[in-house]
């Protein structure tokens, strides 16, 4: 992680200033506030502001479902009920703002989540730092043979070395020329010079979203099918969310992260299997691919 | 305003609990937090949470525009620049949550602003209170003759009296029947009984939005063309926003609330008028309606 | 259903005009275009425009997943894959626009789906017709005793009669006074007079959304837990969508409408049951309510 | 522009197939449908589907404003009224879908417009073509000295030559290594290899939005302050929109593209100037920068 001395000083200053507020406050999240958690070789993620807590979810649910719910369900049970039945609006009452440093190719995946607010470092206005992502050697893997978008076996050490050299040298060279084009001799406009940078160059942004949309992001990006380089950010966020809204997080883990959805056909098969019937792929009505996914869900691969 | 004793107690409790936080905090808004400000005869609006302040706008702008901007522009000037040039994303970094009690016909206008989070009291789950809006006598006006959606002259006192009697008696009668249908003798499902209520019945909701979208709401709803019954809510919100983000609010007032947009044609006319040319509607290329609006903008109606 | 003679004539005219286009066109949906399908006692729904078809979903998926997918998967298989893995963006490439006449209390539920475009008949500008919803007698049911938002047993005929009389008389009376207030004697502004109408008054709107968001709407509103009065609109839309995008619809039916999601805990129980273990609620770790839902999913209530 | 032979054949096929439809159809846009218009050195933009026309805007406005508007205003006048008063929802009833080939650094600006549907070519699934953007020599300009995000004077020919060589050689080299990493010898996963590409590499996507949001995009991106490389796409879209919805486009041109917004302070100055008063920056209350913008708006720079 490369925090500038300026950023380190800002964090220290921010963490030293305590304010008094009437707002709901989460001590466990205050502990983490502003601190930059390292991700990948030069990236980080840190919480810079938040609003609401588990009780904001409960409060919103209770205005919707009225006074009667007060006695019927304890907070944890109510939150589980909301999660289970896809009553998503109460989770929108919590908001969190992150400061993230991340490679541009990761930023391009991330930005596809549209229901969020973003302010990114602009290479039209400013010069990007010389920071680029080089994967750890054990993360350099072959194209998967059975999955068009995944990784397969790890590269042999010599091959990995060769790849890292290519990545490093190209990033160095293109950044060097970026600087040359920006230099006094040429003075090219920044909005043009930036096009010479490679996609592993780091950028940074403020990214703010509500808890419902954050859960949606995490369900997709903390998933084992997500690309490793975005998943590691999602995994840091899981820890942060657990500190922030422990009841909502527990419900999310049970009903989303660890959950499985069976199609109508699959559900029918489960029912038949529960009666003791032996079911085969051929007789199942599922495609081979679906059958594999189905068996895998049931721990029978 | 009809706060339930329960709500009054909740407000007192909430205002008595001070927390310690590292988050940006706005003392002037803390002063107003949780307090219910009366609107119309039984409505209210109150802030129940917020996130960010003017410096969050500046911080977001500076990550976009880079270090160089630090010296170039003071905070107020930067915020004015952002507002003037429609750089709206930095304003999205601030978030505010209101609790509002409002007539259903007002809620139906309000909800058209889609970029917000809402949890409304549900008449499927709970029984609505016997609260309905009756306009003050001086607000009862005739249909405007020159504006298809506005109000014209105030009704004569006797006519106003007659209208108020109709509104009161119908609201009383329909609410009475609502109660009768919900009572033990009938026991009709709440989701059905509610259809008998009139549109001036009060509902309530939590409504959360970011500062950019709030400004958009306020520009339309604090405008003189907005219906009086929603405008009074917007006007309370203006005061709250001024306490919360004074620099952003000042820029909003100058560049949006008090601003005027001239079409290409109108701008051409202004330029000609500035050379001393006398311009008439006939020669202007504007329709009569546009001409009237144009003259009015220039204070020449 | 009450179509005005004007509307009936418009539909006939529209259906008589054939145009030539290069756009993807769906003959089965063209058959239904403009025709108003009756819903409830005076409501209707009709398709007034659309864009895209199943092949637009496939085309969008193939630009994302590249040329290689061309041979790997047939269209139906690709669409099923997208639906199963929540790759929702290709479904956003199809768009449909409805014209709907519906009671105001239904419109208030419907509008909560924010990712849609809406233009509603405005009672500020125009006078609402005298059309209000009265449930069929067999739809008048008691409040459910085990579900805070549902209906239970049907009312006895005499009680139902009494309820219908109350609803009819109140709607008649309040509409009569609405007319009186709008009449020449009083001339009250329309934006004020409307507040006297009851929530079962019909309104109408154009409502336009993309296929992904429409599926989300249908999953929630065609569900057995949705209120009957909105579910009947959703059910008409299911038929329309089936005619429009048969492959996408089949995938939706299998993976969403008929699907079931098991939480991590529930999935663990299924696995144990498949080994022949007898599982009880007490030992399951599920609450009573969850257990009931779980058993019901497995057809064992 | 580099269309693959496959794409050229697809366009010819699509343009040869005429369908019969009851939907509103715009002959002038049908003329342009599917055809790829070249932008920059290898990019293009083409319309691949659309829904609605000027009459859809009118139809939506008339359901909102009711029957009475039918006679009051002709279509063009109604559309101008809607645009002038920011009644944006009727414009949302039209939808258009583009297929665009564009450099990645342009795509990164474009995607910030969130209210749109996008499917982009995925370099996780497929291999990107060897296409990268090299500016025309006369577009290579120095960093602006008075505008932190703009371009100033054009580079001297020899300097421009040097810049183009750097851009070309780096793009060639990094693409070559991309191919090497993907080749049989190494077989690196595509999702990793792509990080070595430079930001001027071309990507492509389907991009679909409604007319209101398209106007918003065009107001910002067809503006003289927008970066040249995105502005040229916006300019092609202006022509397409004019063919599609000529009345809406004319209103947009007058009330948005050619319009100017004066702040409350500026408006006050205009009024004083119209009385013949000479106003100076010092006495104006405007900052130097605002004064310059103000004078420029009035054609007095």
């Amino acid at each position: 992680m490369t925090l500038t001395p300026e950023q380190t000083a800002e964090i220290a200053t921010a963490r030293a200033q305590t304010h008094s507020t009437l707002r709901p406050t989460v001590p466990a999240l205050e502990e983490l506030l502003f601190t930059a958690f390292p991700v990948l070789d030069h990236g980080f993620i840190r919480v810079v502001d938040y609003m609401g807590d588990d009780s904001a979810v409960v409060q919103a649910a209770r205005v919707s479902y009225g006074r009667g719910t007060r006695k019927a369900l304890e907070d944890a049970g109510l939150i589980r009920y909301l999660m289970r039945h896809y009553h998503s609006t109460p989770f929108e009452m919590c908001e969190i703002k992150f400061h993230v440093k991340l490679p541009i190719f990761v930023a391009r995946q991330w930005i596809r989540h549209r229901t969020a607010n973003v302010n990114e470092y602009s290479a039209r206005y400013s010069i990007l730092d010389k920071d680029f992502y080089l994967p750890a050697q054990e993360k350099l893997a072959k194209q998967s043979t059975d999955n068009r978008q995944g990784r397969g076996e790890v590269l042999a050490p010599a091959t990995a070395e060769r790849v890292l050299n290519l990545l490093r040298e190209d990033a160095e060279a293109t950044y060097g020329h970026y600087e040359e084009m920006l230099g006094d001799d040429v003075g090219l406009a920044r909005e043009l010079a930036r096009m010479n940078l490679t996609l592993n160059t780091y950028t940074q942004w403020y990214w703010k979203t509500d808890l419902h949309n954050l859960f949606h992001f995490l369900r997709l990006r903390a998933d084992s099918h997500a690309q490793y380089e975005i998943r590691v950010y999602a995994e840091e966020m899981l820890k942060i969310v657990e500190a922030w809204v422990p009841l909502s997080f527990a419900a999310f883990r049970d009903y989303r992260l660890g959950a499985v959805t069976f199609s109508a056909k699959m559900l029918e098969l489960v029912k038949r299997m529960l009666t003791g019937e032996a079911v085969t792929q051929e007789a199942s009505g599922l495609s081979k691919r679906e059958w594999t996914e189905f068996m895998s869900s049931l721990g029978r691969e």
Side-chain angles (χ1 to χ4, degrees), chain A residues 20-87:
Chain A
S20 174
T21 187
L22 297 174
R23 292 174 290 171
T25 302
V26 182
L29 187 57
E30 296 277 338
E31 280 301 311
L32 310 179
L33 216 59
F34 306 131
T35 304
F37 298 97
V39 187
L40 300 177
D41 54 351
H42 298 295
F44 62 75
I45 185 163
R46 61 193 197 105
V47 184
V48 289
D49 210 346
Y50 71 95
M51 168 173 152
D53 57 7
D54 276 326
S55 71
V57 178
V58 169
Q59 180 190 52
R62 292 219 157 110
V63 82
S64 292
Y65 307 140
R67 292 177 203 124
T69 57
R70 194 143 316 184
K71 308 126 207 170
L73 279 173
E74 294 307 307
D75 286 5
L78 176 57
I79 284 176
R80 288 179 64 82
Y81 174 86
L82 297 171
M83 186 67 76
R84 194 159 76 245
H85 292 280
Y86 297 90
H87 291 312

Side-chain angles (χ1 to χ4, degrees), chain A residues 181-196:
Chain A
M181 292 188 280
L182 291 174
D184 287 345
D185 265 20
V186 178
L188 186 66
R190 287 184 288 269
E191 67 179 26
L192 286 167
R194 62 171 166 171
M195 80 173 77
N196 203 52

Side-chain angles (χ1 to χ4, degrees), chain A residues 120-128 178 182 189-194 197 203:
Chain A
E120 184 176 353
Y121 192 89
S122 167
R124 285 187 83 193
Y125 286 81
S126 301
I127 299 170
L128 279 167
Y178 171 67
L182 291 174
R190 287 184 288 269
E191 67 179 26
L192 286 167
R194 62 171 166 171
L197 297 172
T203 182

Side-chain angles (χ1 to χ4, degrees), chain A residues 132-147:
Chain A
F132 42 85
Y133 169 60
L134 292 180
Q137 198 169 302
E138 72 273 17
K139 296 300 172 194
L140 285 173
K142 293 209 172 202
Q143 178 65 32
S144 167
T145 49
D146 63 349
N147 183 339

Side-chain angles (χ1 to χ4, degrees), chain A residues 18-296:
Chain A
T18 302
H19 309 284
S20 174
T21 187
L22 297 174
R23 292 174 290 171
T25 302
V26 182
L29 187 57
E30 296 277 338
E31 280 301 311
L32 310 179
L33 216 59
F34 306 131
T35 304
F37 298 97
V39 187
L40 300 177
D41 54 351
H42 298 295
F44 62 75
I45 185 163
R46 61 193 197 105
V47 184
V48 289
D49 210 346
Y50 71 95
M51 168 173 152
D53 57 7
D54 276 326
S55 71
V57 178
V58 169
Q59 180 190 52
R62 292 219 157 110
V63 82
S64 292
Y65 307 140
R67 292 177 203 124
T69 57
R70 194 143 316 184
K71 308 126 207 170
L73 279 173
E74 294 307 307
D75 286 5
L78 176 57
I79 284 176
R80 288 179 64 82
Y81 174 86
L82 297 171
M83 186 67 76
R84 194 159 76 245
H85 292 280
Y86 297 90
H87 291 312
S88 54
T89 54
F91 297 103
E92 297 175 8
M93 288 294 148
C94 295
E95 195 87 15
I96 193 161
K97 185 169 85 165
F98 294 101
H99 179 197
V100 193
K101 185 173 169 189
L102 71 180
I104 290 175
F105 73 94
V106 174
R108 299 225 312 129
Q109 288 193 325
W110 193 309
I111 200 81
R112 295 307 322 282
H113 294 263
R114 287 162 291 185
T115 312
N117 311 113
V118 188
N119 279 280
E120 184 176 353
Y121 192 89
S122 167
R124 285 187 83 193
Y125 286 81
S126 301
I127 299 170
L128 279 167
D129 289 330
K130 188 178 175 181
D131 276 324
F132 42 85
Y133 169 60
L134 292 180
Q137 198 169 302
E138 72 273 17
K139 296 300 172 194
L140 285 173
K142 293 209 172 202
Q143 178 65 32
S144 167
T145 49
D146 63 349
N147 183 339
R148 288 187 47 80
Q149 67 170 309
R151 302 186 194 177
E153 51 172 317
V154 172
L155 295 188
T159 317
E161 192 65 32
R162 183 174 148 202
V163 164
L164 283 173
N165 283 338
L166 288 175
L167 292 173
R168 184 184 304 106
E169 285 162 17
D170 281 352
E172 294 271 5
T174 54
Y175 192 88
H177 295 146
Y178 171 67
E179 283 186 308
E180 182 180 340
M181 292 188 280
L182 291 174
D184 287 345
D185 265 20
V186 178
L188 186 66
R190 287 184 288 269
E191 67 179 26
L192 286 167
R194 62 171 166 171
M195 80 173 77
N196 203 52
L197 297 172
T198 48
L199 283 161
N200 55 353
T201 307
Y202 275 92
T203 182
Q204 49 182 292
W205 62 31
Y206 288 100
W207 189 75
K208 168 175 157 286
T209 194
D210 66 60
L211 183 57
H212 166 64
N213 281 288
L214 181 57
F215 278 148
H216 186 69
F217 178 94
L218 293 174
R219 193 171 68 78
L220 295 176
R221 303 305 181 179
D223 186 87
S224 64
H225 294 88
Q227 180 165 352
Y228 167 77
E229 281 78 14
I230 195 166
R231 202 168 65 231
V232 284
Y233 287 90
E235 284 165 359
E236 283 302 315
M237 292 160 104
L238 288 180
K239 294 181 222 162
I240 289 165
V241 176
E242 185 166 21
W244 178 28
V245 282
L247 298 181
S248 300
F249 182 77
F252 171 66
R253 188 162 46 196
D254 194 21
Y255 288 115
R256 295 287 185 283
L257 281 190
V260 66
T261 297
F262 289 131
S263 69
K265 279 187 199 165
M266 290 176 181
L267 180 62
E268 215 38 54
L269 292 175
V270 170
K271 288 182 189 171
R272 283 161 58 191
M273 289 162 77
L274 283 174
T275 66
E277 191 180 332
V279 179
T280 63
Q281 187 255 315
E282 291 68 25
S284 70
L286 302 183
S287 70
K288 272 199 179 162
R289 189 166 198 162
E290 275 185 276
W291 176 260
T292 307
E293 291 175 19
F294 178 54
M295 285 292 108
S296 161

